[in-house]
C-alpha cells in the first residue's frame, strides 16, 4: 500500500535505490506437487539500464541462485513441464529491495500533535522498491546460452559490488577490486554448474519512501531531531532522509507555485 504522500514516482530514484542496495527478495508463485507454492530467496541483482538519464525506463534485473534451491527447482520443473513457455515463468514475479536504514518512530517525537491532542500512534519509517515482471530462468547447464549468461552475470555483479559497494576502484589510492579471473578457471566452471540464472524484464516499478511526510511540519522536525538524538547509524540516516524528503517536497511545491504564477501572469 503506497499513500500518495509516500510514493516516489521518479524511476531514476527507484533505479538508484536498487543499484545501491542490490540484494533483492525474489518471490515466485509456482504450482508444484513437490515444492511450496510461494517461495522467496535473497538474490543479489545487477540492474541493466540502457539510458541512465531516462525518466521512463524501468530496466532489467539479472541474478543467479543455487540450483539446489527449492525455488529454482520449482521453476525448472514448471518450465520443463511446458516447453511452450520457452524458459519464461507463466506468472509474474516480485522482487523487493529496501534501504538498510529504517527505524521505529515513537509518538514522543510528535512534539506538536502529542501535547495538543494526544492523537498519535507509533509507526515505522523505511524506503523500499518493488519490481514486477516475467522471469526467464537459465537452467540448462549444457546450453551455450546458459553459459554465456552466467559468465556475463557473475562478472558484472562482481564488478558492480567490488567498485560501488566496496569502493575498490583502483583510483585515488583505492585498491583494485577482486575479479572472477583471479580464481582458477576450472573452479569457476565447476561452481557455474551449481547455479541457475534468472533474468527479469521489469514491467512495473513502484517505490515508497515513508519518511513522516504525512505529519505536520512541527512533528516532522520532532522526528528529525528525535532520530538524530537516538545516536545510532540507522537513526541518523533516517533523520537525514526525513529532512531530505521534506526539503524536496517543499522545493517541488515552490516550483509548482512559481510555474503557476508565471502562467497566470502571461
Amino acid at each position: 500500500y503506497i499513500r500518495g504522500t509516500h510514493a516516489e514516482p521518479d524511476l531514476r530514484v527507484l533505479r538508484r535505490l536498487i543499484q545501491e542496495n542490490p540484494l533483492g527478495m525474489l518471490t515466485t508463485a509456482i504450482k508444484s506437487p513437490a515444492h511450496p507454492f510461494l517461495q522467496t530467496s535473497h538474490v543479489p541483482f545487477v540492474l541493466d539500464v540502457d539510458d541512465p538519464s531516462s525518466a521512463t525506463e524501468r530496466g532489467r534485473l539479472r541474478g543467479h541462485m543455487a540450483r539446489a534451491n527449492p525455488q529454482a527447482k520449482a521453476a525448472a520443473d514448471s518450465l520443463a513441464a511446458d516447453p511452450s513457455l520457452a524458459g519464461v515463468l507463466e506468472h509474474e514475479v516480485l522482487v523487493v529491495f529496501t534501504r538498510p536504514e529504517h527505524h521505529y518512530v515513537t509518538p514522543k517525537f510528535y512534539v506538536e500533535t502529542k501535547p495538543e491532542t494526544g492523537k498519535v500512534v507509533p509507526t515505522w519509517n523505511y524506503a523500499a522498491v518493488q519490481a514486477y515482471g516475467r522471469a526467464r530462468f537459465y537452467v540448462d547447464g549444457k546450453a551455450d546460452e546458459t553459459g554465456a549468461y552466467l559468465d556475463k552475470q557473475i562478472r558484472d555483479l562482481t564488478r558492480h559490488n567490488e567498485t560501488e559497494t566496496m569502493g575498490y576502484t583502483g583510483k585515488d589510492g583505492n585498491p583494485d577490486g577482486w575479479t572472477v579471473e583471479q580464481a582458477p578457471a576450472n573452479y569457476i566452471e565447476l561452481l557455474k554448474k551449481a547455479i541457475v540464472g534468472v533474468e527479469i524484464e521489469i514491467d512495473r516499478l513502484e517505490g515508497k519512501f515513508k519518511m513522516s511526510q504525512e505529519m505536520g511540519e512541527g512533528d516532522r522536525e520532532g522526528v528529525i531531531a528525535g532520530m538524530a538524538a537516538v545516536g545510532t547509524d540507522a537513526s541518523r540516516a533516517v533523520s537525514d532522509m526525513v529532512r531530505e524528503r521534506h526539503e524536496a517536497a517543499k522545493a517541488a511545491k515552490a516550483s509548482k507555485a512559481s510555474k503557476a504564477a508565471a502562467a497566470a501572469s502571461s
Side-chain angles (χ1 to χ4, degrees):
Y1 170 57
I2 305 178
R3 290 175 60 174
T5 189
H6 298 146
E8 175 51 71
D10 192 333
L11 295 183
R12 292 165 295 188
V13 174
L14 305 187
R15 296 196 306 259
R16 185 163 62 249
L17 186 147
I18 293 173
Q19 290 166 336
E20 293 176 352
N21 306 276
L23 183 64
M25 293 178 63
L26 168 64
T27 299
T28 57
I30 304 172
K31 292 182 179 179
S32 169
H35 304 288
F37 176 61
L38 287 174
Q39 297 192 75
T40 298
S41 297
H42 287 81
V43 178
F45 284 98
V46 173
L47 176 64
D48 291 327
V49 181
D50 295 329
D51 179 6
S53 66
S54 172
T56 58
E57 186 179 355
R58 292 179 290 271
R60 181 176 62 259
L61 294 169
R62 286 188 287 123
H64 67 270
M65 59 200 308
R67 187 176 292 274
N69 186 323
Q71 189 175 23
K73 290 183 177 181
D77 290 349
S78 176
L79 296 171
D82 188 352
S84 68
L85 293 174
V88 180
L89 290 181
E90 180 180 3
H91 301 293
E92 71 176 3
V93 302
L94 164 66
V95 188
V96 179
F97 300 89
T98 58
R99 284 192 57 149
E101 308 92 355
H102 54 85
H103 213 285
Y104 170 81
V105 181
T106 171
K108 293 167 64 70
F109 291 166
Y110 299 141
V111 296
E112 188 172 72
T113 303
K114 183 178 180 294
E116 291 181 0
T117 67
K119 295 180 178 180
V120 290
V121 292
T123 191
W124 206 284
N125 279 0
Y126 64 93
V129 169
Q130 296 186 166
Y132 300 84
R134 299 282 299 283
R136 175 182 296 278
F137 275 79
Y138 295 83
V139 298
D140 185 355
K142 297 180 180 179
D144 292 341
E145 182 183 36
T146 299
Y149 173 86
L150 291 175
D151 277 339
K152 178 174 174 54
Q153 197 278 323
I154 61 178
R155 281 166 172 76
D156 289 350
L157 181 65
T158 299
R159 185 183 308 111
H160 173 79
N161 285 291
E162 287 290 317
T163 57
E164 301 299 326
T165 304
M166 301 303 299
Y168 296 149
T169 61
K171 301 176 182 178
D172 301 324
N174 291 321
D176 290 323
W178 182 86
T179 63
V180 174
E181 288 71 23
Q182 293 180 37
N186 58 348
Y187 175 69
I188 296 298
E189 288 302 313
L190 181 63
L191 291 183
K192 279 170 54 181
K193 298 181 185 301
I195 61 177
V196 300
V198 56
E199 183 177 37
I200 304 164
E201 195 72 36
I202 302 175
D203 297 324
R204 288 185 291 144
L205 198 59
E206 300 174 350
K208 179 175 182 176
F209 284 69
K210 185 179 178 298
M211 291 293 156
S212 302
Q213 300 98 317
E214 74 279 9
M215 307 305 297
E217 186 163 355
D219 288 334
R220 268 197 305 270
E221 290 299 328
V223 172
I224 292 169
M227 284 292 177
V230 171
T232 65
D233 290 343
S235 68
R236 284 191 289 265
V238 170
S239 174
D240 291 342
M241 280 192 284
V242 172
R243 184 181 300 281
E244 290 168 6
R245 301 297 289 189
H246 180 40
E247 292 177 350
K250 287 198 299 184
K253 185 176 181 180
S255 176
K256 184 177 180 180
S258 177
K259 290 178 181 179
S265 63
S266 62

